[in-house]
Amino acid sequence: MDSGFMNHIALWVAAFLTLGIISFLYRDNVWYKICESVFVGISAGYWFVSYFWDNLYGKLWLGVFPTDPAREADYILLIGGALGILLSVLPKLFPKSQKFMPSAAAF
């Protein structure tokens, strides 16, 4: 397939999704729910992938295990990584600790 054909497909998909979102102005319908789910799913997937590669891999992993031999490992990043994991896991393990989470996340 050439790129011209794929551009036409992407254009039609974008047009149908846009019309599906605009159809909410008429009333709440199934087509709107499908389009809303597609938009939310794509944006959540994009957020997760960009967060993983930019922050977890790019800053934490490459900071602790650098690929450049001239660069030293920064082990202090492990403390921040461990605290981040605790902030996401601790409320699941101990539900009563959830009242402290907003103040802990603020710092």
Side-chain angles (χ1 to χ4, degrees):
M1 291 190 204
D2 62 350
S3 64
F5 179 72
M6 292 307 290
N7 285 340
H8 289 299
I9 295 284
L11 180 71
W12 280 104
V13 168
F16 283 124
L17 287 175
T18 303
L19 289 174
I21 294 297
I22 293 173
S23 73
F24 182 72
L25 295 174
Y26 176 61
R27 65 178 169 181
D28 197 13
N29 54 37
V30 176
W31 181 242
Y32 169 75
K33 295 284 187 186
I34 292 171
C35 294
E36 180 186 30
S37 298
V38 168
F39 276 117
V40 169
I42 289 173
S43 66
Y46 176 78
W47 175 84
F48 176 77
V49 169
S50 66
Y51 175 75
F52 176 80
W53 287 110
D54 291 343
N55 294 318
L56 292 179
Y57 181 76
K59 293 179 182 172
L60 180 66
W61 184 260
L62 292 180
V64 175
F65 305 109
T67 56
D68 185 15
R71 187 172 170 214
E72 290 186 22
D74 193 9
Y75 294 112
I76 197 82
L77 293 173
L78 289 175
I79 296 171
L83 288 175
I85 290 172
L86 280 176
L87 277 175
S88 61
V89 172
L90 197 62
K92 305 278 192 257
L93 296 175
F94 304 105
K96 290 186 178 180
S97 68
Q98 287 181 353
K99 60 184 172 186
F100 301 111
M101 288 303 122
S103 60
F107 294 106

